[in-house]
Structure formats: structure tokens, C-alpha cells
Amino acid sequence: MRHHGTSPCGFHLPRLVFVLMLLGGLGDAAGAAESAAPERLNFGYSGAGTVATAPLWITQHIGAFKKYGLELKPIYMAGGLAPLAIMAGEVQFAIMSSGVMIPPVMRGVDLVMIAGLSNFINQALLVAAETTDGKQLKGKRIAIQRLGDLTHIAAREAVKYLGLAEADLQYQQIGGVPARFAALQSGQVQGAVLSPPYIGRARRLGYRILVNLSDLRIPFAGSSIVTTRQLVATRRPVALNLLKAFAEGIHFYKREREASIAIVERSIPGASKDEIGEAIDHYNRDLDERPFPRPEGIKSALDLFAQQTPAAKGADPERFIDQSLLRELERGGFFAALGGGGK
């Protein structure tokens, strides 16, 4: 004879139900913990010594990546290596210019720009004080980071502005901004393409800005966030969360100048507070709070690239960008809630 409330197997029913509910609850908790685990990402950048990379550093510092469930590891890599790193799966996203991205895309590599952090060529060509005319650069050496990248394109635009021909001088692939500035100081080169804060530093040391490309307002997709179309298709929530984090970082960057200076100072050793502030003001001018990649910036890059590679002539700029992620955030009210305007 069974006692009331006991199962045929001898278990007390209320106790059994409680145990099953407990186990189910633990399972749900474990599932929730698993789903809450941060998404690990490697993020490549090459802007050592330049405030162009500040949105990445600031977004990391204020905890915006973590807020959106991302555990992001910034990885420095020499200029031009970012496409290779994405192709190899070493990084999932990277900051690069359209000048670096376009050539591999033209060869069929899966890369796409999902956000733009810089929309104009913003470097300057610096020379020694005694150089007052572009003609004095004939036969001389100009320091760039690498052939085909933004510094090379900036140098070519400066040379054209000065009325010189490409054959009139030599481009020296020196490396990052600190290395190019050091080469100018040592006399290894007679001109260097620099960006803030090194433009201000060079001027204070007596070097002359021969061409300030920022003043020319040449549309160009400079520092931009790039990934693959495959990742956008298969891990869209991750890409959306990355852009949400960056948008919060940009929002902070454009409003908290002193705090941003303090953050950037840690990433550019040797730069003074005034130099960092000058550089932040320089880049903030062209940094959109809704950082859509601009087709006109791609078209400008394509026109320059076509001078060496005719196949790029007439290529559709839309082939290189994907605005759908930022459009989705815009339609969903993300930017309105954040308080971000157009600039």
C-alpha cells in the first residue's frame, strides 16, 4: 500500500517536483551565464603615435565594449597588414584607410567598410625651415608610412598641389608617425607626411608646413572600421554591438575634452597635453557622431588608385561599404537616445 503523495517508485511527489524545479532553474541559470559570456574579438589598428586612433582607445577606456558584451583586444600592426590579418582570421575588425582596403577588394578579397572615423585627408607635408618653395624638393626624399596607404596618397596630393611631378622626388617607406618625424629630424629625408600631434610638435621645433592637406578638404575615407561581409551576415549582432560601443566612445570624445586628453596621453608617450588637445580638436572637426562611411570618400580614393590601376576606374563606391548596420541603429532610435546629432 502506497502512502498518499508517494510515486510508484517511492519518491515523495512534492519533494521530487521541488528537485526538478531546482535543477531546471540551475539549467536556466547556467544557460543565462553562458549567453552572458562576452564575445571575444581581436581588433587591429596601425595608427601608432597618432590621435586618429583615439576613438578606439576612448571607447575601450570608458567600458563601452564591455557594456555591449564584447571583450575586445586591440592589436597593433604595421601599416598595410590589417587586410592580411582579417583574411587570416587573426583579427575580426580593424581600422584602416580606403587606400589600404581598396586594392585587396579589387582582387576579390572579402572586406567591407562599416564605419568612417575620418572623411578627409588630414595630414600635412612638413619640411625644414629653409625650404620655402616646392621646387626645392626636386630630387629629395619624402617620408611616408608605406606605398599605397593614406600617407602615400597624401604625399601625392601635396606634390600635385606644389606643381611637381611624381618623378621629381622619392618616396621613402619609413613607418609610423614617430619614425617619420625622427627621419625628418635626422636629415634622412627632406620632407615628411605627418599628422597631429606631430604637426604641432614639428612646427614648434622650427619645421615648416609646406602643404596643409586639411585645408584642401579633399574627401577621403581615412581611418575606418573594416570587417568582412561574411561576418556581417553571420554575426550581425556582434557588428551592431561594436558600432554601438564606438558610437558611445565618439559621443564621449566629442563632449569630454579634458578626460579624452587624459586617456589619449597614456597611448602617445612623450606628447604634451597641449599637443594632444590640439590633435583632438583637429580630428574632432571631421568625426561624425553617426559615423557612416561616405561614398564620396571612397570615390576619391578610387580615383587616386586608378592612376596606378586602371581597373579601379569607374568602380562603384557602394561595393566597398555597408551602411546597413548604422542605418539599423538609426531606425531603431539608438542615436536619438544617445543624443548624437550629425556632428
Side-chain angles (χ1 to χ4, degrees):
M1 179 180 177
R2 294 196 304 271
H3 293 291
H4 179 69
T6 304
S7 73
C9 297
F11 292 104
H12 193 272
L13 286 175
R15 186 177 300 164
L16 177 62
V17 171
F18 172 77
V19 171
L20 290 173
M21 288 176 64
L22 178 62
L23 289 173
L26 289 173
D28 291 342
E34 185 175 347
S35 64
E39 188 85 33
R40 294 182 179 178
L41 298 174
N42 289 337
F43 193 104
Y45 73 98
S46 61
T50 170
V51 179
T53 312
L56 170 62
W57 301 328
I58 289 169
T59 303
Q60 180 91 321
H61 183 84
I62 67 173
F65 293 125
K66 190 174 293 185
K67 173 181 176 179
Y68 290 103
L70 305 175
E71 186 178 312
L72 187 137
K73 180 181 180 182
I75 297 177
Y76 173 75
M77 50 192 61
L81 293 182
L84 296 174
I86 290 180
M87 291 163 59
E90 295 296 324
V91 301
Q92 291 75 46
F93 298 86
I95 291 176
M96 68 182 82
S97 75
S98 53
V100 172
M101 188 193 80
I102 285 173
V105 174
M106 292 297 298
R107 295 193 299 270
V109 174
D110 178 16
L111 294 173
V112 66
M113 186 180 294
I114 60 172
L117 305 177
S118 174
N119 299 300
F120 298 91
I121 296 179
N122 48 35
Q123 283 83 2
L125 176 61
L126 277 290
V127 295
E130 58 269 21
T131 303
T132 59
D133 188 277
K135 295 183 179 66
Q136 294 174 263
L137 288 178
K138 283 191 174 182
K140 300 296 196 282
R141 296 183 295 275
I142 303 296
I144 62 172
Q145 179 164 277
R146 65 180 293 275
L147 293 172
D149 77 349
L150 178 54
T151 63
H152 183 205
I153 291 168
R156 292 174 64 193
E157 286 295 305
V159 166
K160 183 168 68 175
Y161 179 81
L162 292 169
L164 300 174
E166 291 280 316
D168 287 338
L169 40 77
Q170 304 171 42
Y171 298 121
Q172 298 289 303
Q173 300 182 87
I174 301 295
V177 190
R180 297 198 299 275
F181 182 49
L184 181 63
Q185 288 181 293
S186 69
Q188 180 184 350
V189 297
Q190 289 69 53
V193 174
L194 301 179
S195 55
Y198 285 87
I199 292 174
R201 185 179 300 184
R203 288 185 67 188
R204 280 184 281 275
L205 290 174
Y207 293 92
R208 181 190 303 275
I209 295 180
L210 198 59
V211 181
N212 190 342
L213 290 143
S214 291
D215 293 342
L216 303 183
R217 307 299 286 168
I218 301 170
F220 188 85
S223 299
S224 306
I225 300 173
V226 174
T227 185
T228 65
R229 291 189 183 277
Q230 182 183 22
L231 186 144
V232 172
T234 60
R235 301 172 69 186
R236 191 174 183 85
V238 172
L240 286 167
N241 283 333
L242 182 91
L243 293 181
K244 286 179 182 178
F246 264 104
E248 292 206 7
I250 292 170
H251 185 83
F252 181 96
Y253 184 34
K254 294 182 79 70
R255 287 163 179 76
E256 302 293 339
R257 185 176 184 273
E258 293 303 312
S260 295
I261 289 172
I263 294 168
V264 174
E265 277 184 301
R266 300 180 188 134
S267 300
I268 305 183
S272 70
K273 182 176 179 179
D274 288 344
E275 288 174 336
I276 297 295
E278 180 182 312
I280 282 177
D281 294 341
H282 175 93
Y283 283 108
N284 255 339
R285 180 175 64 164
D286 298 325
L287 179 61
D288 292 344
E289 294 205 46
R290 305 183 185 203
F292 286 97
R294 298 184 184 182
E296 61 267 29
I298 296 291
K299 183 181 183 305
S300 178
L302 282 167
D303 290 344
L304 292 168
F305 184 61
Q307 294 175 18
Q308 295 177 315
T309 308
K313 190 174 183 179
D316 184 0
E318 298 290 341
R319 172 183 173 185
F320 303 86
I321 64 177
D322 184 348
Q323 295 185 334
S324 70
L325 293 159
L326 288 170
R327 293 288 179 211
E328 183 174 333
L329 295 182
E330 190 173 53
R331 286 194 303 270
F334 175 80
F335 291 109
L338 187 60
K343 289 294 286 181

